[in-house]
mmCIF file of all heavy atoms in Angstrom:
data_model
loop_
_atom_site.group_PDB
_atom_site.id
_atom_site.type_symbol
_atom_site.label_atom_id
_atom_site.label_comp_id
_atom_site.label_asym_id
_atom_site.label_seq_id
_atom_site.Cartn_x
_atom_site.Cartn_y
_atom_site.Cartn_z
ATOM 1 N N SER A 5 1.220 -42.391 24.293
ATOM 2 C CA SER A 5 1.797 -42.168 22.970
ATOM 3 C C SER A 5 1.530 -40.764 22.461
ATOM 4 O O SER A 5 0.530 -40.132 22.778
ATOM 5 C CB SER A 5 1.243 -43.185 21.979
ATOM 6 O OG SER A 5 -0.121 -42.943 21.703
ATOM 7 N N GLY A 6 2.482 -40.287 21.661
ATOM 8 C CA GLY A 6 2.395 -38.988 21.022
ATOM 9 C C GLY A 6 3.237 -37.911 21.650
ATOM 10 O O GLY A 6 3.536 -36.897 21.005
ATOM 11 N N ILE A 7 3.665 -38.100 22.910
ATOM 12 C CA ILE A 7 4.273 -36.994 23.645
ATOM 13 C C ILE A 7 5.767 -36.806 23.368
ATOM 14 O O ILE A 7 6.373 -35.881 23.897
ATOM 15 C CB ILE A 7 4.050 -37.136 25.162
ATOM 16 C CG1 ILE A 7 4.788 -38.367 25.707
ATOM 17 C CG2 ILE A 7 2.567 -37.186 25.481
ATOM 18 C CD1 ILE A 7 4.826 -38.404 27.227
ATOM 19 N N GLY A 8 6.368 -37.662 22.547
ATOM 20 C CA GLY A 8 7.773 -37.505 22.224
ATOM 21 C C GLY A 8 8.243 -38.586 21.278
ATOM 22 O O GLY A 8 7.512 -39.534 20.974
ATOM 23 N N PRO A 9 9.491 -38.481 20.783
ATOM 24 C CA PRO A 9 9.989 -39.415 19.774
ATOM 25 C C PRO A 9 10.031 -40.877 20.221
ATOM 26 O O PRO A 9 9.989 -41.772 19.371
ATOM 27 C CB PRO A 9 11.403 -38.895 19.484
ATOM 28 C CG PRO A 9 11.352 -37.445 19.839
ATOM 29 C CD PRO A 9 10.423 -37.362 21.011
ATOM 30 N N LEU A 10 10.119 -41.135 21.521
ATOM 31 C CA LEU A 10 10.122 -42.507 22.009
ATOM 32 C C LEU A 10 8.708 -43.046 22.229
ATOM 33 O O LEU A 10 8.550 -44.194 22.668
ATOM 34 C CB LEU A 10 10.899 -42.596 23.330
ATOM 35 C CG LEU A 10 12.376 -42.213 23.262
ATOM 36 C CD1 LEU A 10 13.005 -42.264 24.652
ATOM 37 C CD2 LEU A 10 13.133 -43.111 22.308
ATOM 38 N N LYS A 11 7.719 -42.217 21.929
ATOM 39 C CA LYS A 11 6.326 -42.579 22.199
ATOM 40 C C LYS A 11 5.455 -42.483 20.945
ATOM 41 O O LYS A 11 4.412 -41.819 20.940
ATOM 42 C CB LYS A 11 5.752 -41.655 23.275
ATOM 43 C CG LYS A 11 6.470 -41.686 24.618
ATOM 44 C CD LYS A 11 6.038 -42.874 25.430
ATOM 45 C CE LYS A 11 6.514 -42.784 26.874
ATOM 46 N NZ LYS A 11 5.993 -43.878 27.700
ATOM 47 N N PRO A 12 5.826 -43.149 19.858
ATOM 48 C CA PRO A 12 4.930 -43.176 18.697
ATOM 49 C C PRO A 12 3.707 -44.026 18.989
ATOM 50 O O PRO A 12 3.620 -44.697 20.025
ATOM 51 C CB PRO A 12 5.805 -43.795 17.597
ATOM 52 C CG PRO A 12 6.755 -44.670 18.342
ATOM 53 C CD PRO A 12 7.045 -43.950 19.632
ATOM 54 N N ALA A 13 2.776 -44.043 18.068
ATOM 55 C CA ALA A 13 1.506 -44.725 18.296
ATOM 56 C C ALA A 13 1.638 -46.233 18.387
ATOM 57 O O ALA A 13 0.725 -46.906 18.850
ATOM 58 C CB ALA A 13 0.516 -44.365 17.192
ATOM 59 N N ASP A 14 2.775 -46.797 17.960
ATOM 60 C CA ASP A 14 2.980 -48.244 18.035
ATOM 61 C C ASP A 14 3.938 -48.644 19.153
ATOM 62 O O ASP A 14 4.504 -49.733 19.140
ATOM 63 C CB ASP A 14 3.497 -48.785 16.698
ATOM 64 C CG ASP A 14 4.820 -48.159 16.257
ATOM 65 O OD1 ASP A 14 5.234 -47.150 16.858
ATOM 66 O OD2 ASP A 14 5.428 -48.674 15.293
ATOM 67 N N ALA A 15 4.097 -47.786 20.163
ATOM 68 C CA ALA A 15 5.072 -48.047 21.226
ATOM 69 C C ALA A 15 4.646 -49.137 22.203
ATOM 70 O O ALA A 15 5.486 -49.757 22.857
ATOM 71 C CB ALA A 15 5.358 -46.756 22.006
ATOM 72 N N LEU A 16 3.339 -49.394 22.329
ATOM 73 C CA LEU A 16 2.858 -50.275 23.399
ATOM 74 C C LEU A 16 3.494 -51.660 23.352
ATOM 75 O O LEU A 16 3.766 -52.253 24.402
ATOM 76 C CB LEU A 16 1.341 -50.410 23.337
ATOM 77 C CG LEU A 16 0.716 -51.264 24.451
ATOM 78 C CD1 LEU A 16 0.899 -50.608 25.814
ATOM 79 C CD2 LEU A 16 -0.764 -51.528 24.177
ATOM 80 N N ALA A 17 3.727 -52.191 22.172
ATOM 81 C CA ALA A 17 4.249 -53.553 22.055
ATOM 82 C C ALA A 17 5.601 -53.733 22.745
ATOM 83 O O ALA A 17 5.981 -54.858 23.078
ATOM 84 C CB ALA A 17 4.363 -53.941 20.581
ATOM 85 N N TYR A 18 6.307 -52.639 22.982
ATOM 86 C CA TYR A 18 7.611 -52.724 23.633
ATOM 87 C C TYR A 18 7.501 -52.678 25.157
ATOM 88 O O TYR A 18 8.476 -52.918 25.865
ATOM 89 C CB TYR A 18 8.513 -51.581 23.145
ATOM 90 C CG TYR A 18 8.787 -51.645 21.663
ATOM 91 C CD1 TYR A 18 7.890 -51.102 20.744
ATOM 92 C CD2 TYR A 18 9.923 -52.275 21.170
ATOM 93 C CE1 TYR A 18 8.115 -51.181 19.371
ATOM 94 C CE2 TYR A 18 10.163 -52.365 19.803
ATOM 95 C CZ TYR A 18 9.258 -51.817 18.911
ATOM 96 O OH TYR A 18 9.482 -51.912 17.564
ATOM 97 N N GLY A 19 6.301 -52.380 25.666
ATOM 98 C CA GLY A 19 6.113 -52.231 27.101
ATOM 99 C C GLY A 19 6.285 -53.501 27.907
ATOM 100 O O GLY A 19 6.952 -53.490 28.955
ATOM 101 N N PRO A 20 5.677 -54.645 27.494
ATOM 102 C CA PRO A 20 5.817 -55.859 28.302
ATOM 103 C C PRO A 20 7.273 -56.290 28.520
ATOM 104 O O PRO A 20 7.631 -56.712 29.628
ATOM 105 C CB PRO A 20 5.033 -56.891 27.493
ATOM 106 C CG PRO A 20 3.948 -56.089 26.854
ATOM 107 C CD PRO A 20 4.630 -54.812 26.456
ATOM 108 N N ALA A 21 8.110 -56.189 27.514
ATOM 109 C CA ALA A 21 9.523 -56.547 27.705
ATOM 110 C C ALA A 21 10.175 -55.617 28.723
ATOM 111 O O ALA A 21 11.020 -56.053 29.526
ATOM 112 C CB ALA A 21 10.267 -56.492 26.372
ATOM 113 N N MET A 22 9.793 -54.338 28.722
ATOM 114 C CA MET A 22 10.330 -53.404 29.710
ATOM 115 C C MET A 22 9.880 -53.789 31.110
ATOM 116 O O MET A 22 10.657 -53.706 32.071
ATOM 117 C CB MET A 22 9.892 -51.979 29.377
ATOM 118 C CG MET A 22 10.437 -51.450 28.072
ATOM 119 S SD MET A 22 9.924 -49.743 27.773
ATOM 120 C CE MET A 22 10.714 -48.908 29.150
ATOM 121 N N MET A 23 8.626 -54.208 31.260
ATOM 122 C CA MET A 23 8.136 -54.618 32.573
ATOM 123 C C MET A 23 8.895 -55.854 33.082
ATOM 124 O O MET A 23 9.224 -55.949 34.265
ATOM 125 C CB MET A 23 6.640 -54.896 32.523
ATOM 126 C CG MET A 23 5.799 -53.663 32.266
ATOM 127 S SD MET A 23 4.026 -53.987 32.397
ATOM 128 C CE MET A 23 3.838 -54.182 34.172
ATOM 129 N N VAL A 24 9.171 -56.782 32.173
ATOM 130 C CA VAL A 24 9.929 -57.970 32.561
ATOM 131 C C VAL A 24 11.347 -57.588 32.972
ATOM 132 O O VAL A 24 11.864 -58.024 34.013
ATOM 133 C CB VAL A 24 9.954 -58.989 31.402
ATOM 134 C CG1 VAL A 24 10.942 -60.118 31.696
ATOM 135 C CG2 VAL A 24 8.561 -59.557 31.170
ATOM 136 N N ASN A 25 11.987 -56.737 32.173
ATOM 137 C CA ASN A 25 13.393 -56.400 32.414
ATOM 138 C C ASN A 25 13.586 -55.462 33.600
ATOM 139 O O ASN A 25 14.561 -55.586 34.346
ATOM 140 C CB ASN A 25 13.999 -55.769 31.158
ATOM 141 C CG ASN A 25 14.072 -56.736 29.994
ATOM 142 O OD1 ASN A 25 14.157 -57.945 30.194
ATOM 143 N ND2 ASN A 25 14.020 -56.216 28.778
ATOM 144 N N LEU A 26 12.678 -54.510 33.789
ATOM 145 C CA LEU A 26 12.854 -53.502 34.837
ATOM 146 C C LEU A 26 12.193 -53.888 36.155
ATOM 147 O O LEU A 26 12.715 -53.564 37.227
ATOM 148 C CB LEU A 26 12.293 -52.161 34.371
ATOM 149 C CG LEU A 26 12.980 -51.516 33.150
ATOM 150 C CD1 LEU A 26 12.300 -50.201 32.803
ATOM 151 C CD2 LEU A 26 14.465 -51.294 33.417
ATOM 152 N N LEU A 27 11.051 -54.571 36.075
ATOM 153 C CA LEU A 27 10.303 -54.890 37.290
ATOM 154 C C LEU A 27 10.383 -56.358 37.670
ATOM 155 O O LEU A 27 9.919 -56.741 38.751
ATOM 156 C CB LEU A 27 8.832 -54.492 37.131
ATOM 157 C CG LEU A 27 8.559 -53.020 36.808
ATOM 158 C CD1 LEU A 27 7.058 -52.776 36.719
ATOM 159 C CD2 LEU A 27 9.192 -52.109 37.849
ATOM 160 N N GLY A 28 10.933 -57.187 36.790
ATOM 161 C CA GLY A 28 11.082 -58.603 37.113
ATOM 162 C C GLY A 28 9.780 -59.382 37.100
ATOM 163 O O GLY A 28 9.701 -60.454 37.713
ATOM 164 N N VAL A 29 8.752 -58.889 36.409
ATOM 165 C CA VAL A 29 7.489 -59.618 36.364
ATOM 166 C C VAL A 29 7.618 -60.787 35.393
ATOM 167 O O VAL A 29 8.465 -60.800 34.508
ATOM 168 C CB VAL A 29 6.317 -58.706 35.954
ATOM 169 C CG1 VAL A 29 6.247 -57.472 36.812
ATOM 170 C CG2 VAL A 29 6.419 -58.307 34.486
ATOM 171 N N ALA A 30 6.766 -61.780 35.555
ATOM 172 C CA ALA A 30 6.746 -62.907 34.632
ATOM 173 C C ALA A 30 6.176 -62.447 33.292
ATOM 174 O O ALA A 30 5.333 -61.548 33.245
ATOM 175 C CB ALA A 30 5.895 -64.037 35.199
ATOM 176 N N PRO A 31 6.617 -63.055 32.190
ATOM 177 C CA PRO A 31 6.099 -62.644 30.882
ATOM 178 C C PRO A 31 4.578 -62.678 30.778
ATOM 179 O O PRO A 31 3.983 -61.766 30.198
ATOM 180 C CB PRO A 31 6.749 -63.637 29.920
ATOM 181 C CG PRO A 31 8.042 -64.007 30.582
ATOM 182 C CD PRO A 31 7.714 -64.036 32.049
ATOM 183 N N ALA A 32 3.934 -63.701 31.349
ATOM 184 C CA ALA A 32 2.476 -63.779 31.254
ATOM 185 C C ALA A 32 1.821 -62.594 31.956
ATOM 186 O O ALA A 32 0.822 -62.042 31.462
ATOM 187 C CB ALA A 32 1.973 -65.091 31.841
ATOM 188 N N GLU A 33 2.358 -62.182 33.091
ATOM 189 C CA GLU A 33 1.805 -61.015 33.792
ATOM 190 C C GLU A 33 1.972 -59.758 32.957
ATOM 191 O O GLU A 33 1.059 -58.920 32.875
ATOM 192 C CB GLU A 33 2.494 -60.832 35.144
ATOM 193 C CG GLU A 33 1.980 -59.644 35.934
ATOM 194 C CD GLU A 33 2.687 -59.442 37.266
ATOM 195 O OE1 GLU A 33 3.336 -60.402 37.755
ATOM 196 O OE2 GLU A 33 2.591 -58.326 37.813
ATOM 197 N N ALA A 34 3.127 -59.623 32.322
ATOM 198 C CA ALA A 34 3.363 -58.459 31.471
ATOM 199 C C ALA A 34 2.403 -58.444 30.285
ATOM 200 O O ALA A 34 1.887 -57.384 29.905
ATOM 201 C CB ALA A 34 4.812 -58.456 30.983
ATOM 202 N N LEU A 35 2.147 -59.609 29.698
ATOM 203 C CA LEU A 35 1.207 -59.678 28.573
ATOM 204 C C LEU A 35 -0.226 -59.397 29.016
ATOM 205 O O LEU A 35 -0.992 -58.749 28.295
ATOM 206 C CB LEU A 35 1.291 -61.051 27.905
ATOM 207 C CG LEU A 35 2.617 -61.384 27.209
ATOM 208 C CD1 LEU A 35 2.591 -62.799 26.673
ATOM 209 C CD2 LEU A 35 2.929 -60.390 26.099
ATOM 210 N N ARG A 36 -0.597 -59.854 30.207
ATOM 211 C CA ARG A 36 -1.928 -59.535 30.725
ATOM 212 C C ARG A 36 -2.102 -58.035 30.886
ATOM 213 O O ARG A 36 -3.203 -57.493 30.724
ATOM 214 C CB ARG A 36 -2.164 -60.247 32.064
ATOM 215 C CG ARG A 36 -2.474 -61.731 31.944
ATOM 216 C CD ARG A 36 -2.967 -62.316 33.251
ATOM 217 N NE ARG A 36 -1.921 -62.440 34.251
ATOM 218 C CZ ARG A 36 -1.172 -63.522 34.445
ATOM 219 N NH1 ARG A 36 -1.366 -64.598 33.689
ATOM 220 N NH2 ARG A 36 -0.256 -63.552 35.385
ATOM 221 N N SER A 37 -1.019 -57.329 31.212
ATOM 222 C CA SER A 37 -1.118 -55.891 31.475
ATOM 223 C C SER A 37 -1.442 -55.088 30.226
ATOM 224 O O SER A 37 -1.839 -53.919 30.328
ATOM 225 C CB SER A 37 0.191 -55.374 32.095
ATOM 226 O OG SER A 37 1.217 -55.269 31.122
ATOM 227 N N VAL A 38 -1.289 -55.690 29.034
ATOM 228 C CA VAL A 38 -1.659 -54.997 27.800
ATOM 229 C C VAL A 38 -2.826 -55.687 27.097
ATOM 230 O O VAL A 38 -3.183 -55.330 25.971
ATOM 231 C CB VAL A 38 -0.465 -54.880 26.822
ATOM 232 C CG1 VAL A 38 0.613 -53.969 27.401
ATOM 233 C CG2 VAL A 38 0.118 -56.251 26.480
ATOM 234 N N THR A 39 -3.435 -56.671 27.774
ATOM 235 C CA THR A 39 -4.587 -57.375 27.192
ATOM 236 C C THR A 39 -5.741 -57.383 28.190
ATOM 237 O O THR A 39 -6.460 -56.405 28.316
ATOM 238 C CB THR A 39 -4.187 -58.800 26.730
ATOM 239 O OG1 THR A 39 -3.595 -59.525 27.833
ATOM 240 C CG2 THR A 39 -3.195 -58.740 25.581
ATOM 241 N N SER A 40 -5.896 -58.461 28.949
ATOM 242 C CA SER A 40 -7.086 -58.597 29.794
ATOM 243 C C SER A 40 -7.129 -57.576 30.929
ATOM 244 O O SER A 40 -8.204 -57.042 31.244
ATOM 245 C CB SER A 40 -7.162 -60.014 30.357
ATOM 246 O OG SER A 40 -6.010 -60.350 31.107
ATOM 247 N N VAL A 41 -5.995 -57.295 31.562
ATOM 248 C CA VAL A 41 -5.986 -56.322 32.669
ATOM 249 C C VAL A 41 -6.297 -54.925 32.136
ATOM 250 O O VAL A 41 -7.057 -54.161 32.743
ATOM 251 C CB VAL A 41 -4.641 -56.361 33.414
ATOM 252 C CG1 VAL A 41 -4.545 -55.233 34.438
ATOM 253 C CG2 VAL A 41 -4.462 -57.709 34.117
ATOM 254 N N ALA A 42 -5.697 -54.576 31.002
ATOM 255 C CA ALA A 42 -5.965 -53.266 30.408
ATOM 256 C C ALA A 42 -7.418 -53.139 29.971
ATOM 257 O O ALA A 42 -8.041 -52.093 30.173
ATOM 258 C CB ALA A 42 -5.031 -53.044 29.219
ATOM 259 N N ALA A 43 -7.971 -54.200 29.383
ATOM 260 C CA ALA A 43 -9.374 -54.151 28.954
ATOM 261 C C ALA A 43 -10.299 -53.954 30.146
ATOM 262 O O ALA A 43 -11.257 -53.161 30.083
ATOM 263 C CB ALA A 43 -9.726 -55.434 28.214
ATOM 264 N N ARG A 44 -10.033 -54.672 31.233
ATOM 265 C CA ARG A 44 -10.860 -54.538 32.429
ATOM 266 C C ARG A 44 -10.777 -53.112 32.987
ATOM 267 O O ARG A 44 -11.797 -52.524 33.394
ATOM 268 C CB ARG A 44 -10.438 -55.565 33.476
ATOM 269 C CG ARG A 44 -11.359 -55.617 34.691
ATOM 270 C CD ARG A 44 -11.135 -56.877 35.487
ATOM 271 N NE ARG A 44 -9.770 -57.016 35.977
ATOM 272 C CZ ARG A 44 -8.903 -57.933 35.565
ATOM 273 N NH1 ARG A 44 -9.250 -58.806 34.628
ATOM 274 N NH2 ARG A 44 -7.692 -57.997 36.070
ATOM 275 N N ALA A 45 -9.586 -52.528 32.991
ATOM 276 C CA ALA A 45 -9.428 -51.163 33.506
ATOM 277 C C ALA A 45 -10.185 -50.151 32.657
ATOM 278 O O ALA A 45 -10.618 -49.110 33.167
ATOM 279 C CB ALA A 45 -7.949 -50.799 33.559
ATOM 280 N N CYS A 46 -10.358 -50.449 31.376
ATOM 281 C CA CYS A 46 -11.093 -49.554 30.474
ATOM 282 C C CYS A 46 -12.586 -49.844 30.442
ATOM 283 O O CYS A 46 -13.322 -49.229 29.657
ATOM 284 C CB CYS A 46 -10.521 -49.667 29.059
ATOM 285 S SG CYS A 46 -8.863 -48.988 28.864
ATOM 286 N N GLY A 47 -13.050 -50.794 31.263
ATOM 287 C CA GLY A 47 -14.458 -51.126 31.288
ATOM 288 C C GLY A 47 -14.899 -52.029 30.155
ATOM 289 O O GLY A 47 -16.094 -52.131 29.862
ATOM 290 N N LEU A 48 -13.935 -52.709 29.523
ATOM 291 C CA LEU A 48 -14.235 -53.569 28.372
ATOM 292 C C LEU A 48 -13.868 -55.018 28.638
ATOM 293 O O LEU A 48 -13.670 -55.794 27.699
ATOM 294 C CB LEU A 48 -13.466 -53.067 27.137
ATOM 295 C CG LEU A 48 -13.784 -51.652 26.667
ATOM 296 C CD1 LEU A 48 -12.825 -51.241 25.556
ATOM 297 C CD2 LEU A 48 -15.223 -51.549 26.184
ATOM 298 N N GLY A 49 -13.793 -55.391 29.904
ATOM 299 C CA GLY A 49 -13.332 -56.724 30.254
ATOM 300 C C GLY A 49 -14.226 -57.848 29.802
ATOM 301 O O GLY A 49 -13.805 -59.011 29.801
#
């Protein structure tokens, strides 16, 4: 976020739908990618 008009600070919430639509992942996997998987990657799991 921050690097352009499509990347405001509240952009993350739109990411899981993009993952479902572009990559064909299941919704639960997309939601994990912004919750538990992301927390684990940041050392906060």
Side-chain angles (χ1 to χ4, degrees):
S5 70
I7 66 169
L10 298 177
K11 300 280 192 175
D14 59 348
L16 183 66
Y18 298 84
M22 295 182 63
M23 293 187 72
V24 170
N25 294 333
L26 297 179
L27 302 182
V29 307
E33 180 181 342
L35 294 176
R36 283 192 288 268
S37 75
V38 294
T39 55
S40 58
V41 172
R44 187 164 59 248
C46 291
L48 299 173

